[in-house]
Amino acid sequence: MKYLRITDQEYDRFSREAEDQLYFTYLLQTMGIPARWEEEARAAIRQLEELTGNTFVDHSERYQFTPLTDEEFQLIETRIAEGYYTPAAIRKRKAAAVRAKNKAEMAELRAEARNAKLKIDKKLQVNLLVKKLGMPLDNFIYYDHNNTGVFNWLPNSLRKPVTPEQFNDFLCRVDYRKLPQGIQFQLKFA
């Protein structure tokens, strides 16, 4: 209120009705507030000129009020005629926005859960096949971010490492149709 130099009644109307920038500007214009600002500025300039004896030339553009274009003004007038800015319509739009936001957040949660489940299922699929082919899982890891299974991934492991022969035998027996597409296997050497 202090910044815009508006009254309590004007503030109440803005807070009750001005839900978007265009309508806020419309209210400013129709309530005569920019004209009031202009008169206050002229009075301040007159006072400044009386105090200094100089003519004040305003070159500032920083706080210039930009009125609505004719098209914007007509849009607001049409919306008013259609009841767009009535309290009931505003409440209805706000409730719809809350519902849409909640729906989007729930969809995001479902998508995250679906992706997490897919990751778990892919890891299970890989681990089950590795185990089924007789390979140890205690020094095997599946990296889902690059779709790679790595044997002997723990450095200096106390676990018995997979030998190159075991790894080659495993690669010959893998049925890639039962695994995530594009999967690769690697053998690290201790």
Side-chain angles (χ1 to χ4, degrees):
M1 286 174 52
K2 184 177 179 181
Y3 179 77
L4 293 178
R5 296 181 310 283
I6 58 175
T7 66
D8 289 338
Q9 293 79 15
E10 290 166 337
Y11 172 81
D12 289 342
R13 184 165 182 201
F14 283 126
S15 64
R16 187 176 57 244
E17 298 177 29
E19 77 170 324
D20 62 43
Q21 186 66 40
L22 281 179
Y23 193 59
F24 180 80
T25 305
Y26 173 85
L27 288 175
L28 283 173
Q29 278 182 242
T30 57
M31 293 166 67
I33 294 171
R36 183 186 330 147
W37 293 339
E38 188 66 35
E39 181 50 43
E40 289 172 356
R42 279 196 294 271
I45 289 170
R46 279 193 303 274
Q47 186 178 15
L48 179 66
E49 289 174 341
E50 288 171 8
L51 289 171
T52 64
N54 297 324
T55 301
F56 179 77
V57 180
D58 184 10
H59 296 290
S60 68
E61 295 181 21
R62 188 169 172 197
Y63 296 110
Q64 298 294 327
F65 174 74
T66 305
L68 295 176
T69 64
D70 291 340
E71 294 81 19
E72 291 170 331
F73 201 86
Q74 184 58 44
L75 172 66
I76 297 299
E77 293 279 322
T78 301
R79 285 180 175 175
I80 290 170
E82 293 170 350
Y84 184 85
Y85 292 110
T86 62
I90 291 170
R91 279 192 304 276
K92 186 176 179 181
R93 276 193 303 283
K94 285 182 179 178
V98 167
R99 284 192 305 276
K101 181 181 177 199
N102 286 340
K103 186 176 180 179
E105 288 174 353
M106 287 189 284
E108 186 176 325
L109 289 171
R110 285 186 184 99
E112 287 174 7
R114 224 177 358 264
N115 289 338
K117 184 180 181 311
L118 285 173
K119 282 183 175 185
I120 291 168
D121 288 345
K122 281 171 73 172
K123 182 177 180 180
L124 177 63
Q125 184 182 18
V126 171
N127 285 342
L128 286 174
L129 186 91
V130 167
K131 189 66 177 170
K132 183 177 178 183
L133 293 178
M135 298 295 281
L137 288 175
D138 61 349
N139 201 357
F140 173 79
I141 189 167
Y142 172 65
Y143 295 108
D144 57 34
H145 68 281
N146 64 1
N147 200 21
T148 303
V150 180
F151 291 95
N152 299 342
W153 74 284
L154 292 170
N156 300 321
S157 174
L158 298 177
R159 295 168 178 87
K160 184 177 176 187
V162 172
T163 66
E165 293 78 21
Q166 289 172 310
F167 181 69
N168 287 335
D169 181 57
F170 167 78
L171 289 179
C172 291
R173 295 184 298 134
V174 169
D175 183 356
Y176 285 94
R177 293 173 300 172
K178 296 180 180 179
L179 292 171
Q181 186 176 3
I183 190 170
Q184 296 179 341
F185 291 97
Q186 295 176 355
L187 178 66
K188 287 197 174 181
F189 297 100

